[in-house]
Amino acid sequence: MNEMFELTITPALIALYSVAFVCAIYLIFGMRRYAASVARKAAADTAKTETDSDSEMPGVSVIVYSNEDAWNLESFLRSILAQNYRGQMEVIVVNDGAAATTEAVVGRLEEEYPNLYMTFTPTASRNLSRKKLAITLGIKAARYEVVLLTQGNCRITSADWLSSMMRHFNSGKEVVVGFAHIVPSDDADHTFGEGVRSFDSLYTAIKYLSWAIAGRPYRGNSYNLAYRRSLFFKNKGFSRSLNLKYGDDDIFLSEIADGDNTAVELSSDSIVSVIEQHPAKAHADDKRQHDFTKKYLRRSADFFYGTSLWTWWIFLGTVIAGGIIGYPGLIPAIVSAVLFLLTSILLMVAFNKASRRLFGCRMLWSLPFMLLFEPIYNMWYRIGSGRNRSKNLTSGI
């Protein structure tokens, strides 16, 4: 019995636990800290109230990219036009598909709302990114200095969405990074792997939001992103990535945003839901698109979060090996269990808080397994993106 509690210190145990301790420090003071920063920012933004109820908000042009989403467009536009907003506001719908049905919806609403307008993307535009063209047309048609980009298949649950996104421009900011997440529609198809996709969405959101909070913005969300119109033209729009179909929310943002001119808004009022009948396909498309465009971005966030995932693998390997090598003694197994539980719990708490703030759901005991699977999941999509590289280019569309 006493032998079980005897500890024989060997070079192998020293090496294993040294590596495990270093990995735990890297995960706790790295990954956990950044995840916690997102949760803290969301909590602070939600608690924040306007101190001057009479302060005028900047004029804003809300640009709604519409593509085969007439089924949702009327309720979405009404939620924008009914916002509690102390400033001038207009809504510009850029119709890039289902012209007749979208035009009918907007036509009915234009009779009620004089600040609602619609424009169209040319049907003959083949060798251009149609979404970038639509955004450009919307920005050129805008009459106000600040533009807020979103899409017709979204849902806004708060009448203070505009106010929460726009309040940063009164303090001199030029870019505001908001948040949006995919929500299955009532008739959505449910496919295998929903848990994995949910974690991947959370991990991706923590990655780019935490970097922006830390003053290193490199990506936004095209469903909820605002910037100054003059900044768009100063940068010559999307001219540097015209050969790419995508990049309007990451390549372009990385060109115009920095730690001084950019704010992150994560209040519960500001979060937008993206309604999808096929959420698995929408997630896959988004992941492939951003996997392709990330090669044009600063790679510090991708490097840090990528190494964090492999650090988790090394950490688990060393604590398990330490317990096995120390057998039949129980002390190495106890040390391994304590290290694993302490690190896991600290990570789970941080990720759970971020998930509840951003997605409104819990994520607890599955985290250790999701962290293990995430690099494999990323590699699988990376291989798929490489095979479909031509689909990301504008030539031949």
Side-chain angles (χ1 to χ4, degrees), residues 64-71 73 93-98 102 130-131 151-153:
V64 180
Y65 174 71
S66 178
N67 187 342
E68 306 292 343
D69 46 35
W71 54 272
L73 195 58
V93 178
V94 185
N95 190 347
D96 187 34
T102 300
R130 294 191 63 81
K131 187 172 183 181
Q151 194 159 314
N153 63 330

Side-chain angles (χ1 to χ4, degrees), residues 169-198:
F169 290 98
N170 279 343
S171 60
K173 297 300 182 181
E174 296 184 291
V175 181
V176 176
V177 176
F179 179 68
H181 64 103
I182 294 175
V183 174
S185 62
D186 294 336
D187 59 343
D189 49 359
H190 296 278
T191 57
F192 178 75
E194 289 183 10
V196 175
R197 289 192 295 272
S198 296

Side-chain angles (χ1 to χ4, degrees), residues 348-368:
M348 284 189 290
V349 169
F351 273 77
N352 181 58
K353 287 182 178 180
S355 181
R356 291 182 67 182
R357 289 290 180 181
L358 297 180
F359 295 88
C361 62
R362 295 177 180 273
M363 179 165 291
L364 275 175
W365 305 112
S366 61
L367 179 69

Side-chain angles (χ1 to χ4, degrees), residues 22-337:
V22 170
C23 289
I25 294 297
Y26 188 74
L27 291 167
I28 292 170
F29 292 96
M31 183 192 290
R32 185 210 64 83
R33 181 169 65 90
Y34 280 114
S37 72
V38 174
R40 284 196 302 270
K41 174 65 175 170
D45 286 348
T46 300
K48 192 182 301 180
T49 56
E50 293 294 334
T51 56
D52 184 4
S53 59
D54 297 323
S55 60
E56 186 72 12
M57 302 294 279
V60 56
S61 298
V62 181
I63 298 174
V64 180
Y65 174 71
S66 178
N67 187 342
E68 306 292 343
D69 46 35
W71 54 272
N72 181 69
L73 195 58
E74 181 167 352
S75 61
F76 181 55
L77 291 176
R78 287 187 182 278
S79 66
I80 299 175
L81 292 160
Q83 288 284 298
N84 297 327
Y85 190 66
R86 299 187 309 274
Q88 295 179 309
M89 181 261 286
E90 67 176 354
V91 178
I92 301 173
V93 178
V94 185
N95 190 347
D96 187 34
T101 53
T102 300
E103 187 175 5
V105 170
V106 178
R108 288 197 304 271
L109 292 177
E110 282 179 326
E111 298 178 1
E112 298 180 47
Y113 302 98
N115 57 337
L116 173 64
Y117 310 94
M118 183 171 62
T119 186
F120 299 83
T121 54
T123 56
S125 302
R126 295 181 57 83
N127 293 323
L128 292 171
S129 165
R130 294 191 63 81
K131 187 172 183 181
K132 288 179 182 176
L133 175 60
I135 293 172
T136 301
L137 291 173
I139 293 176
K140 287 184 175 180
R143 69 176 72 180
Y144 299 118
E145 167 62 4
V146 177
V147 293
L148 175 53
L149 309 181
T150 186
Q151 194 159 314
N153 63 330
C154 291
R155 178 184 297 156
I156 297 169
T157 57
S158 172
D160 294 315
W161 169 63
L162 264 182
S163 296
S164 61
M165 289 293 291
M166 292 300 106
R167 60 186 173 186
H168 300 279
F169 290 98
N170 279 343
S171 60
K173 297 300 182 181
E174 296 184 291
V175 181
V176 176
V177 176
F179 179 68
H181 64 103
I182 294 175
V183 174
S185 62
D186 294 336
D187 59 343
D189 49 359
H190 296 278
T191 57
F192 178 75
E194 289 183 10
V196 175
R197 289 192 295 272
S198 296
F199 176 77
D200 180 72
S201 297
L202 173 63
Y203 197 76
T204 300
I206 288 174
K207 184 192 300 186
Y208 76 83
L209 290 173
S210 66
W211 235 240
I213 292 169
R216 291 166 287 182
Y218 70 95
R219 174 180 165 180
N221 193 306
S222 61
Y223 297 97
N224 197 15
L225 179 64
Y227 44 78
R228 293 190 181 274
R229 189 169 177 264
S230 56
L231 197 61
F232 179 84
F233 291 116
K234 181 180 178 181
N235 191 70
K236 298 181 180 179
F238 304 115
S239 60
R240 301 179 194 177
S241 59
L242 286 179
N243 62 316
L244 305 177
K245 288 177 65 176
Y246 312 110
D248 53 281
D249 61 353
D250 51 11
I251 296 176
F252 176 72
L253 188 89
S254 68
E255 294 170 353
I256 65 171
D258 57 47
D260 294 325
N261 73 351
T262 302
V264 179
E265 176 58 46
L266 297 179
S267 66
S268 57
D269 288 334
S270 71
I271 294 178
V272 170
S273 300
V274 184
I275 312 303
E276 288 287 354
Q277 185 179 8
H278 308 289
K281 180 181 183 302
H283 174 80
D285 290 344
D286 181 76
K287 192 166 179 66
R288 290 193 183 100
Q289 292 165 17
H290 285 100
D291 187 72
F292 180 84
T293 54
K294 72 180 183 181
K295 69 183 72 172
Y296 301 96
L297 309 175
R298 296 183 292 272
R299 302 298 297 272
S300 56
D302 197 53
F303 175 80
F304 170 76
Y305 281 95
T307 56
S308 293
L309 291 173
W310 292 115
T311 298
W312 179 250
W313 274 76
I314 296 170
F315 171 73
L316 288 184
T318 51
V319 295
I320 292 172
I324 294 173
I325 290 175
Y327 183 81
L330 287 180
I331 292 179
I334 293 171
V335 171
S336 292

